[in-house]
Coordinates of all heavy atoms in Angstrom, one line a residue:
M4 N -1.6 33.1 39.6 CA -1.3 31.7 40.0 C -2.4 30.8 39.5 O -2.1 29.8 38.9 CB -1.2 31.7 41.5 CG -0.6 30.4 42.0 SD 1.1 30.2 41.4 CE 1.4 28.4 41.6
L5 N -3.6 31.3 39.6 CA -4.7 30.5 39.1 C -4.6 30.3 37.6 O -4.9 29.3 37.0 CB -6.1 31.1 39.5 CG -7.3 30.2 39.3 CD1 -7.2 29.0 40.1 CD2 -8.6 31.0 39.6
K6 N -4.3 31.4 37.0 CA -4.1 31.5 35.5 C -3.1 30.5 35.1 O -3.2 29.7 34.1 CB -3.7 32.9 35.1 CG -4.6 33.4 34.0 CD -4.2 34.8 33.6 CE -5.2 35.4 32.6 NZ -4.9 36.9 32.4
L7 N -2.0 30.5 35.8 CA -0.8 29.6 35.5 C -1.3 28.2 35.7 O -0.9 27.3 34.9 CB 0.3 30.0 36.4 CG 1.7 29.3 36.0 CD1 2.2 30.0 34.8 CD2 2.7 29.5 37.2
F8 N -2.0 27.9 36.8 CA -2.4 26.6 37.0 C -3.4 26.1 35.9 O -3.3 24.9 35.5 CB -3.2 26.5 38.4 CG -3.7 25.1 38.7 CD1 -2.9 24.1 39.1 CD2 -5.1 24.9 38.6 CE1 -3.4 22.8 39.3 CE2 -5.6 23.6 38.8 CZ -4.7 22.6 39.2
K9 N -4.2 27.0 35.4 CA -5.1 26.6 34.3 C -4.3 26.2 33.1 O -4.7 25.4 32.3 CB -6.0 27.8 34.0 CG -7.3 27.7 34.9 CD -8.3 28.8 34.4 CE -9.7 28.6 34.9 NZ -10.6 29.6 34.5
R10 N -3.2 27.0 32.9 CA -2.5 26.8 31.7 C -1.6 25.5 31.8 O -1.3 24.9 30.8 CB -1.5 27.9 31.5 CG -2.1 29.0 30.6 CD -1.0 29.9 30.2 NE -1.5 31.0 29.5 CZ -0.7 32.0 29.1 NH1 0.6 32.0 29.5 NH2 -1.1 33.0 28.4
K11 N -1.3 25.2 33.0 CA -0.4 24.0 33.3 C -1.1 23.0 34.2 O -0.7 22.9 35.3 CB 0.9 24.4 33.8 CG 1.8 25.2 32.8 CD 3.1 25.5 33.5 CE 4.3 25.4 32.5 NZ 5.6 25.3 33.2
P12 N -2.1 22.3 33.7 CA -2.8 21.4 34.6 C -1.8 20.3 35.1 O -1.0 19.8 34.3 CB -3.8 20.7 33.7 CG -3.9 21.6 32.5 CD -2.6 22.3 32.4
G13 N -1.8 20.0 36.4 CA -0.9 19.0 36.9 C 0.6 19.6 37.0 O 1.5 18.8 37.4
G14 N 0.8 20.8 36.7 CA 2.1 21.4 36.8 C 2.9 21.3 35.5 O 4.1 21.6 35.4
L15 N 2.3 20.8 34.4 CA 3.0 20.6 33.2 C 2.2 21.3 32.1 O 1.0 21.3 32.1 CB 3.2 19.1 32.8 CG 4.1 18.3 33.7 CD1 3.9 16.8 33.3 CD2 5.5 18.7 33.5
S16 N 2.9 21.9 31.1 CA 2.2 22.4 29.9 C 1.9 21.2 29.0 O 2.5 20.2 29.1 CB 3.1 23.4 29.3 OG 4.2 22.8 28.6
C17 N 1.0 21.5 28.0 CA 0.7 20.4 27.1 C 1.9 20.0 26.3 O 2.1 18.8 26.0 CB -0.4 21.0 26.1 SG -1.9 21.2 26.9
G18 N 2.8 21.0 26.0 CA 4.0 20.6 25.2 C 4.9 19.7 26.0 O 5.4 18.7 25.5
E19 N 5.0 20.0 27.3 CA 5.9 19.1 28.2 C 5.3 17.7 28.3 O 6.0 16.7 28.3 CB 6.0 19.8 29.6 CG 6.9 21.0 29.6 CD 6.8 21.8 30.9 OE1 5.7 21.8 31.5 OE2 7.8 22.3 31.3
V20 N 3.9 17.7 28.4 CA 3.3 16.4 28.4 C 3.5 15.5 27.2 O 3.9 14.4 27.2 CB 1.8 16.5 28.7 CG1 1.0 15.2 28.5 CG2 1.5 17.1 30.1
M21 N 3.4 16.2 26.0 CA 3.6 15.5 24.7 C 5.1 15.0 24.6 O 5.3 13.9 24.1 CB 3.4 16.5 23.6 CG 1.9 16.8 23.3 SD 0.9 15.3 23.1 CE -0.4 15.5 24.2
E22 N 6.0 15.7 25.2 CA 7.4 15.3 25.2 C 7.6 14.0 25.9 O 8.4 13.2 25.5 CB 8.3 16.4 25.7 CG 8.8 17.4 24.7 CD 9.6 18.5 25.4 OE1 10.4 18.2 26.3 OE2 9.5 19.6 24.9
V23 N 6.9 13.8 27.0 CA 7.2 12.7 27.9 C 6.1 11.6 27.7 O 6.2 10.5 28.4 CB 7.3 13.1 29.3 CG1 8.5 14.0 29.5 CG2 6.1 13.7 29.9
L24 N 5.1 11.9 26.9 CA 3.9 11.0 26.9 C 4.3 9.6 26.5 O 3.8 8.6 27.2 CB 2.9 11.5 25.8 CG 1.5 10.8 25.8 CD1 0.9 10.9 27.2 CD2 0.6 11.4 24.8
Q25 N 5.1 9.4 25.5 CA 5.6 8.1 25.1 C 6.2 7.3 26.2 O 5.9 6.2 26.5 CB 6.5 8.2 23.9 CG 6.7 7.0 23.1 CD 5.6 6.9 22.0 OE1 5.4 7.8 21.2 NE2 4.8 5.8 22.0
S26 N 7.2 8.0 26.9 CA 7.9 7.4 28.0 C 6.9 7.1 29.1 O 7.1 6.1 29.8 CB 9.0 8.3 28.5 OG 9.7 8.8 27.4
Y27 N 6.0 8.0 29.3 CA 5.0 7.9 30.4 C 4.2 6.6 30.2 O 4.0 5.8 31.1 CB 4.1 9.1 30.4 CG 2.8 8.9 31.2 CD1 2.8 9.0 32.6 CD2 1.6 8.7 30.6 CE1 1.7 8.8 33.4 CE2 0.4 8.5 31.3 CZ 0.5 8.6 32.7 OH -0.7 8.4 33.4
L28 N 3.7 6.4 28.9 CA 2.9 5.2 28.7 C 3.8 3.9 28.7 O 3.3 2.8 29.0 CB 2.3 5.3 27.3 CG 1.2 6.4 27.1 CD1 0.8 6.6 25.7 CD2 0.0 6.1 28.0
D29 N 5.1 4.1 28.5 CA 6.0 2.9 28.6 C 6.4 2.7 30.0 O 7.2 1.7 30.3 CB 7.2 3.1 27.7 CG 6.9 3.0 26.2 OD1 5.8 2.3 25.9 OD2 7.6 3.5 25.3
G30 N 6.0 3.6 30.9 CA 6.5 3.5 32.3 C 7.9 3.7 32.5 O 8.6 3.2 33.4
E31 N 8.5 4.6 31.6 CA 9.9 4.8 31.7 C 10.3 6.2 32.3 O 11.4 6.6 32.2 CB 10.5 4.8 30.2 CG 10.6 3.4 29.7 CD 10.9 3.4 28.2 OE1 11.0 4.4 27.6 OE2 11.1 2.2 27.7
I32 N 9.3 6.9 32.9 CA 9.7 8.1 33.6 C 9.5 8.0 35.1 O 8.9 7.1 35.6 CB 8.9 9.3 33.0 CG1 7.4 9.0 33.1 CG2 9.3 9.7 31.6 CD1 6.6 10.3 32.8
D33 N 10.2 8.9 35.8 CA 10.1 8.8 37.3 C 8.7 9.1 37.8 O 7.9 9.7 37.1 CB 11.1 9.8 37.9 CG 10.8 11.3 37.4 OD1 11.0 11.6 36.3 OD2 10.2 12.0 38.2
A34 N 8.5 8.5 39.0 CA 7.1 8.5 39.6 C 6.6 10.0 39.7 O 5.4 10.2 39.5 CB 7.2 7.9 40.9
E35 N 7.5 10.9 40.0 CA 7.0 12.3 40.2 C 6.4 12.9 38.9 O 5.4 13.4 38.9 CB 8.2 13.1 40.7 CG 7.7 14.5 41.3 CD 8.9 15.4 41.5 OE1 10.0 15.0 41.7 OE2 8.6 16.7 41.4
T36 N 7.2 12.7 37.8 CA 6.7 13.2 36.5 C 5.5 12.4 36.1 O 4.5 13.0 35.6 CB 7.8 13.0 35.5 OG1 9.1 13.5 36.0 CG2 7.5 13.8 34.2
A37 N 5.5 11.1 36.3 CA 4.3 10.3 36.0 C 3.1 10.8 36.7 O 2.0 10.9 36.0 CB 4.6 8.9 36.3
G38 N 3.2 11.2 37.9 CA 2.1 11.7 38.7 C 1.6 13.0 38.1 O 0.4 13.2 38.0
K39 N 2.5 13.9 37.7 CA 2.1 15.1 37.1 C 1.4 14.9 35.8 O 0.4 15.6 35.5 CB 3.4 16.0 36.8 CG 4.0 16.6 38.1 CD 5.2 17.5 37.7 CE 5.9 18.0 38.9 NZ 7.1 18.7 38.5
V40 N 1.9 14.0 35.0 CA 1.3 13.7 33.7 C -0.1 13.1 33.9 O -1.1 13.5 33.3 CB 2.1 12.7 32.9 CG1 1.4 12.2 31.6 CG2 3.5 13.3 32.5
T41 N -0.2 12.3 34.9 CA -1.5 11.7 35.2 C -2.6 12.8 35.6 O -3.7 12.8 35.0 CB -1.4 10.7 36.4 OG1 -0.5 9.7 36.1 CG2 -2.8 10.0 36.7
S42 N -2.1 13.7 36.4 CA -3.1 14.8 36.8 C -3.3 15.7 35.6 O -4.4 16.2 35.5 CB -2.6 15.6 38.0 OG -1.3 15.4 38.3
H43 N -2.3 15.9 34.8 CA -2.5 16.7 33.6 C -3.6 16.1 32.7 O -4.5 16.7 32.2 CB -1.2 16.9 32.8 CG -1.4 17.8 31.6 ND1 -0.9 19.1 31.6 CD2 -1.9 17.6 30.4 CE1 -1.2 19.7 30.4 NE2 -1.8 18.8 29.7
L44 N -3.5 14.8 32.5 CA -4.4 14.1 31.6 C -5.8 14.1 32.2 O -6.8 14.1 31.4 CB -3.9 12.6 31.4 CG -2.6 12.4 30.6 CD1 -2.3 11.0 30.5 CD2 -2.6 13.1 29.3
D45 N -5.9 14.1 33.5 CA -7.2 14.2 34.2 C -7.9 15.5 33.9 O -9.1 15.6 33.8 CB -7.1 14.1 35.7 CG -7.0 12.6 36.1 OD1 -7.3 11.7 35.3 OD2 -6.7 12.3 37.3
L46 N -7.1 16.6 33.7 CA -7.6 17.9 33.6 C -7.6 18.4 32.1 O -8.3 19.4 31.8 CB -6.8 18.9 34.5 CG -6.8 18.6 36.0 CD1 -5.7 19.3 36.6 CD2 -8.1 19.0 36.6
C47 N -6.8 17.8 31.3 CA -6.7 18.3 29.9 C -7.2 17.3 28.9 O -6.6 16.3 28.7 CB -5.2 18.6 29.6 SG -4.9 19.2 28.0
V48 N -8.3 17.7 28.3 CA -9.0 16.8 27.3 C -8.1 16.5 26.1 O -8.0 15.4 25.7 CB -10.4 17.4 26.9 CG1 -11.1 16.4 25.9 CG2 -11.2 17.7 28.1
D49 N -7.4 17.5 25.6 CA -6.6 17.4 24.4 C -5.5 16.3 24.6 O -5.4 15.4 23.8 CB -5.9 18.7 24.1 CG -6.9 19.7 23.5 OD1 -8.0 19.2 23.1 OD2 -6.6 20.9 23.5
C50 N -4.8 16.4 25.8 CA -3.7 15.5 26.0 C -4.3 14.1 26.4 O -3.7 13.1 26.0 CB -2.8 16.0 27.1 SG -1.9 17.5 26.7
D51 N -5.4 14.1 27.0 CA -6.0 12.8 27.3 C -6.4 12.1 26.1 O -6.2 10.9 26.0 CB -7.3 13.1 28.2 CG -7.8 11.8 28.8 OD1 -6.9 11.0 29.3 OD2 -9.0 11.6 28.9
L52 N -6.9 12.8 25.1 CA -7.3 12.2 23.8 C -6.0 11.6 23.1 O -6.0 10.5 22.6 CB -7.9 13.2 22.9 CG -9.4 13.4 23.1 CD1 -9.9 14.6 22.2 CD2 -10.2 12.2 22.8
E53 N -5.0 12.5 23.2 CA -3.7 12.1 22.6 C -3.1 10.8 23.2 O -2.7 9.9 22.5 CB -2.7 13.3 22.7 CG -1.5 13.2 21.8 CD -1.8 13.6 20.4 OE1 -2.8 14.4 20.2 OE2 -1.1 13.2 19.5
A54 N -3.2 10.8 24.5 CA -2.7 9.6 25.2 C -3.5 8.4 24.9 O -3.0 7.3 24.8 CB -2.8 9.9 26.8
G55 N -4.9 8.6 24.7 CA -5.7 7.5 24.3 C -5.3 6.9 23.0 O -5.4 5.7 22.8
V56 N -5.0 7.8 22.0 CA -4.6 7.4 20.7 C -3.3 6.5 20.8 O -3.2 5.4 20.3 CB -4.3 8.6 19.7 CG1 -3.7 8.1 18.4 CG2 -5.7 9.3 19.5
Y57 N -2.3 7.1 21.5 CA -1.1 6.3 21.7 C -1.3 5.0 22.3 O -0.7 4.0 21.9 CB -0.1 7.1 22.7 CG 0.8 8.1 22.0 CD1 0.7 9.5 22.4 CD2 1.7 7.7 21.0 CE1 1.5 10.4 21.8 CE2 2.5 8.7 20.4 CZ 2.4 10.0 20.8 OH 3.2 10.9 20.2
D58 N -2.2 5.0 23.3 CA -2.5 3.8 24.0 C -3.1 2.7 23.1 O -2.8 1.5 23.2 CB -3.4 4.1 25.2 CG -3.1 3.2 26.4 OD1 -1.9 2.8 26.6 OD2 -4.0 3.0 27.2
R59 N -4.0 3.2 22.3 CA -4.7 2.3 21.3 C -3.7 1.7 20.4 O -3.7 0.5 20.1 CB -5.8 3.0 20.6 CG -7.2 2.6 21.1 CD -8.2 2.8 20.0 NE -8.2 4.1 19.4 CZ -8.8 5.2 20.0 NH1 -9.4 5.1 21.1 NH2 -8.7 6.4 19.4
I60 N -2.8 2.5 19.9 CA -1.8 2.0 18.9 C -0.9 1.0 19.6 O -0.7 -0.1 19.1 CB -0.9 3.2 18.5 CG1 -1.7 4.1 17.6 CG2 0.3 2.6 17.7 CD1 -1.0 5.4 17.2
R61 N -0.5 1.3 20.9 CA 0.3 0.4 21.6 C -0.4 -1.0 21.8 O 0.2 -2.0 21.6 CB 0.7 1.0 23.0 CG 1.8 1.9 22.9 CD 1.9 2.8 24.2 NE 1.6 2.0 25.3 CZ 2.6 1.3 25.9 NH1 3.8 1.3 25.5 NH2 2.2 0.5 27.0
S62 N -1.6 -0.9 22.2 CA -2.3 -2.2 22.5 C -2.6 -3.0 21.3 O -2.7 -4.2 21.3 CB -3.6 -2.0 23.4 OG -4.4 -1.0 22.8
S63 N -2.9 -2.3 20.2 CA -3.1 -3.0 18.9 C -1.8 -3.7 18.4 O -1.9 -4.7 17.9 CB -3.7 -2.0 17.8 OG -2.6 -1.2 17.3
L64 N -0.7 -3.0 18.7 CA 0.6 -3.7 18.4 C 0.8 -4.9 19.3 O 1.3 -5.9 18.8 CB 1.7 -2.7 18.6 CG 1.9 -1.6 17.5 CD1 3.0 -0.7 17.9 CD2 2.2 -2.2 16.1
A65 N 0.4 -4.8 20.5 CA 0.6 -5.8 21.5 C -0.2 -7.0 21.1 O 0.3 -8.2 21.2 CB 0.3 -5.3 22.9
T66 N -1.5 -6.8 20.7 CA -2.4 -7.9 20.4 C -2.0 -8.6 19.1 O -2.5 -9.7 18.8 CB -3.8 -7.5 20.5 OG1 -4.0 -6.3 19.6 CG2 -4.3 -7.2 21.9
R67 N -1.2 -7.9 18.3 CA -0.9 -8.5 17.0 C 0.1 -9.6 17.1 O 0.4 -10.3 16.2 CB -0.4 -7.4 16.0 CG -1.4 -7.2 14.9 CD -1.1 -6.0 14.0 NE 0.3 -6.0 13.6 CZ 0.8 -4.9 12.9 NH1 0.0 -3.9 12.6 NH2 2.0 -4.9 12.4
T68 N 0.8 -9.6 18.3 CA 1.8 -10.7 18.5 C 1.1 -12.0 18.7 O 0.4 -12.2 19.7 CB 2.6 -10.4 19.7 OG1 3.0 -9.0 19.7 CG2 3.8 -11.3 19.8
E69 N 1.2 -12.8 17.7 CA 0.5 -14.1 17.7 C 1.3 -15.1 18.5 O 2.5 -15.1 18.6 CB 0.3 -14.7 16.3 CG -0.8 -13.9 15.6 CD -0.8 -14.1 14.1 OE1 -0.2 -15.1 13.7 OE2 -1.2 -13.2 13.4
P70 N 0.6 -16.1 19.2 CA 1.3 -17.1 19.9 C 2.3 -17.9 19.0 O 1.9 -18.2 17.8 CB 0.2 -18.0 20.4 CG -1.0 -17.6 19.7 CD -0.8 -16.2 19.2
V71 N 3.4 -18.2 19.5 CA 4.4 -18.9 18.6 C 4.0 -20.3 18.3 O 3.7 -21.1 19.2 CB 5.8 -18.9 19.3 CG1 6.9 -19.5 18.4 CG2 6.2 -17.4 19.7
D72 N 4.0 -20.6 17.1 CA 3.7 -22.0 16.6 C 4.7 -23.0 17.2 O 5.9 -22.7 17.2 CB 3.7 -22.0 15.1 CG 3.2 -23.3 14.5 OD1 2.0 -23.5 14.6 OD2 4.1 -24.1 14.1
A73 N 4.2 -24.1 17.6 CA 5.1 -25.1 18.2 C 6.1 -25.6 17.2 O 7.3 -25.8 17.6 CB 4.2 -26.3 18.6
G74 N 5.8 -25.7 15.9 CA 6.7 -26.2 14.9 C 7.8 -25.1 14.7 O 9.0 -25.5 14.6
V75 N 7.4 -23.9 14.7 CA 8.4 -22.8 14.5 C 9.4 -22.8 15.7 O 10.6 -22.7 15.6 CB 7.7 -21.4 14.4 CG1 8.7 -20.3 14.4 CG2 6.8 -21.4 13.2
L76 N 8.8 -23.0 16.9 CA 9.6 -23.1 18.1 C 10.6 -24.2 18.1 O 11.8 -24.0 18.5 CB 8.7 -23.2 19.3 CG 9.2 -22.7 20.7 CD1 9.4 -21.2 20.6 CD2 8.3 -23.1 21.8
R77 N 10.2 -25.4 17.6 CA 11.0 -26.5 17.5 C 12.2 -26.3 16.5 O 13.3 -26.6 16.8 CB 10.2 -27.8 17.1 CG 10.6 -29.0 17.9 CD 9.8 -30.2 17.7 NE 8.8 -30.2 16.7 CZ 7.5 -30.2 16.9 NH1 7.1 -30.2 18.1 NH2 6.7 -30.2 15.9
S78 N 11.9 -25.8 15.4 CA 12.9 -25.5 14.4 C 13.9 -24.5 14.9 O 15.1 -24.5 14.6 CB 12.3 -25.2 13.0 OG 11.6 -24.0 13.1
L79 N 13.4 -23.5 15.7 CA 14.2 -22.5 16.2 C 15.2 -23.1 17.3 O 16.3 -22.8 17.3 CB 13.3 -21.5 16.9 CG 13.9 -20.0 17.0 CD1 14.0 -19.4 15.7 CD2 13.0 -19.2 17.9
E80 N 14.6 -24.1 18.0 CA 15.4 -24.8 19.0 C 16.6 -25.6 18.4 O 17.7 -25.5 18.8 CB 14.6 -25.7 19.9 CG 14.0 -25.0 21.1 CD 13.0 -25.9 21.8 OE1 12.9 -27.1 21.5 OE2 12.2 -25.3 22.6
S81 N 16.2 -26.3 17.3 CA 17.2 -27.1 16.7 C 18.2 -26.2 15.9 O 19.4 -26.6 15.8 CB 16.6 -28.1 15.7 OG 16.1 -27.4 14.5
F82 N 17.8 -25.1 15.5 CA 18.7 -24.1 14.8 C 19.7 -23.6 15.8 O 20.9 -23.6 15.5 CB 17.9 -22.9 14.3 CG 18.8 -21.9 13.6 CD1 19.3 -22.0 12.4 CD2 19.1 -20.7 14.3 CE1 20.1 -21.1 11.8 CE2 19.9 -19.7 13.8 CZ 20.4 -19.9 12.5
S83 N 19.3 -23.2 17.0 CA 20.2 -22.7 18.0 C 21.1 -23.8 18.5 O 22.3 -23.6 18.9 CB 19.5 -22.1 19.2 OG 18.5 -22.9 19.7
E84 N 20.6 -25.1 18.5 CA 21.4 -26.2 18.9 C 22.6 -26.4 17.9 O 23.7 -26.6 18.2 CB 20.6 -27.5 18.9 CG 20.4 -28.0 20.3 CD 19.4 -29.2 20.3 OE1 19.6 -30.1 19.6 OE2 18.4 -29.1 21.1
R85 N 22.2 -26.4 16.6 CA 23.2 -26.5 15.5 C 24.2 -25.4 15.6 O 25.4 -25.5 15.3 CB 22.5 -26.6 14.2 CG 21.8 -27.9 13.9 CD 20.9 -27.8 12.7 NE 21.6 -27.6 11.5 CZ 21.0 -27.1 10.4 NH1 19.7 -26.9 10.4 NH2 21.7 -26.9 9.3
L86 N 23.7 -24.2 15.9 CA 24.5 -23.0 16.0 C 25.6 -23.2 17.1 O 26.8 -22.9 17.0 CB 23.7 -21.8 16.3 CG 24.2 -20.4 16.0 CD1 24.4 -20.3 14.5 CD2 23.3 -19.3 16.5
M87 N 25.1 -23.8 18.3 CA 26.0 -24.0 19.4 C 27.0 -25.1 19.1 O 28.1 -25.0 19.5 CB 25.1 -24.5 20.6 CG 24.1 -23.5 21.1 SD 24.7 -22.4 22.4 CE 24.2 -23.4 23.8
N88 N 26.6 -26.0 18.3 CA 27.5 -27.1 17.9 C 28.5 -26.7 16.8 O 29.3 -27.5 16.3 CB 26.7 -28.4 17.5 CG 25.9 -28.9 18.7 OD1 26.3 -28.7 19.8 ND2 24.9 -29.7 18.4
G89 N 28.4 -25.5 16.3 CA 29.2 -25.0 15.3 C 28.9 -25.6 13.9 O 29.7 -25.6 13.0
E90 N 27.6 -26.1 13.8 CA 27.2 -26.7 12.5 C 26.8 -25.6 11.5 O 26.7 -25.8 10.3 CB 26.1 -27.7 12.7 CG 26.5 -28.9 13.4 CD 25.3 -29.8 13.7 OE1 24.4 -29.8 13.0 OE2 25.4 -30.5 14.8
I91 N 26.6 -24.4 12.0 CA 26.2 -23.3 11.1 C 27.2 -22.2 11.1 O 27.7 -21.8 12.2 CB 24.8 -22.7 11.6 CG1 23.7 -23.8 11.4 CG2 24.5 -21.5 10.8 CD1 22.4 -23.4 12.1
D92 N 27.6 -21.8 9.9 CA 28.6 -20.8 9.8 C 27.9 -19.4 10.0 O 27.1 -19.0 9.2 CB 29.2 -20.9 8.4 CG 30.4 -19.9 8.2 OD1 30.7 -19.2 9.2 OD2 31.0 -19.9 7.1
T93 N 28.3 -18.8 11.1 CA 27.6 -17.6 11.4 C 28.1 -16.4 10.6 O 27.5 -15.3 10.6 CB 27.8 -17.2 12.9 OG1 29.2 -17.4 13.3 CG2 26.9 -18.1 13.8
N94 N 29.2 -16.6 9.9 CA 29.7 -15.6 9.0 C 28.8 -15.5 7.7 O 28.9 -14.5 7.0 CB 31.1 -15.8 8.6 CG 32.0 -15.7 9.8 OD1 31.8 -14.8 10.6 ND2 33.0 -16.5 9.8
G95 N 28.0 -16.5 7.5 CA 27.2 -16.5 6.3 C 27.9 -16.8 5.1 O 27.4 -16.8 4.0
V96 N 29.2 -17.2 5.2 CA 30.1 -17.5 4.0 C 30.5 -18.9 4.1 O 31.1 -19.3 5.1 CB 31.3 -16.5 3.9 CG1 32.0 -16.9 2.6 CG2 30.8 -15.1 3.9
D97 N 30.2 -19.7 3.1 CA 30.6 -21.1 3.1 C 31.9 -21.3 2.4 O 32.0 -21.1 1.2 CB 29.5 -22.0 2.5 CG 29.6 -23.4 2.9 OD1 30.5 -23.7 3.7 OD2 28.8 -24.2 2.4
N98 N 33.0 -21.6 3.1 CA 34.3 -21.6 2.4 C 35.0 -23.0 2.3 O 36.2 -23.2 2.3 CB 35.3 -20.7 3.2 CG 35.1 -19.3 2.9 OD1 34.6 -19.0 1.8 ND2 35.4 -18.4 3.8
D99 N 34.1 -24.1 2.2 CA 34.8 -25.4 2.0 C 34.7 -25.9 0.6 O 35.6 -25.8 -0.2 CB 34.4 -26.4 3.0 CG 32.9 -26.5 3.2 OD1 32.1 -26.3 2.2 OD2 32.5 -26.7 4.3
Ligands
ZN103 ZN1 -2.6 19.2 27.9

């Protein structure tokens, strides 16, 4: 039992953790599994490192999102207004 526990920290094997790691970081798995993953990461250096890498990638992607420029926002607004008014052919084909 102790051997098994050592092999499966938190009740999950490393393979199982890797399978759900992405969803775990996205908060898309159930609380019970998330709890198991959390305890696995506490006990397993390899998976903890792996999770750290994923997390860094995710946060670097998140910080790359620049604040929307006011001018871009305005032209986007007028574009959707024209779209609503039927001024823009959404088929992309001009037939007049
Ligand atoms: Zn592991």
Side-chain angles (χ1 to χ4, degrees):
M4 193 62 201
L5 188 63
K6 231 175 186 174
L7 192 72
F8 179 73
K9 270 189 166 177
R10 272 193 183 173
K11 290 183 143 197
L15 293 170
S16 70
C17 292
E19 287 168 327
V20 170
M21 286 304 129
E22 271 177 36
V23 298
L24 189 60
Q25 200 85 55
S26 315
Y27 165 77
L28 292 171
D29 288 338
E31 284 170 358
I32 54 173
D33 60 285
E35 197 195 330
T36 312
K39 285 182 186 175
V40 174
T41 304
S42 19
H43 184 103
L44 295 182
D45 275 348
L46 299 163
C47 179
V48 182
D49 289 341
C50 292
D51 193 40
L52 280 174
E53 197 77 24
V56 172
Y57 272 122
D58 215 27
R59 253 205 309 279
I60 294 171
R61 280 162 41 83
S62 49
S63 76
L64 285 177
T66 49
R67 244 170 55 184
T68 314
E69 285 162 27
V71 182
D72 185 77
V75 174
L76 203 64
R77 223 177 3 253
S78 62
L79 206 67
E80 269 171 17
S81 73
F82 176 80
S83 53
E84 251 172 55
R85 287 166 64 198
L86 203 65
M87 300 270 269
N88 295 335
E90 290 173 32
I91 293 172
D92 187 359
T93 47
N94 294 321
V96 184
D97 200 2
N98 280 333
D99 41 40

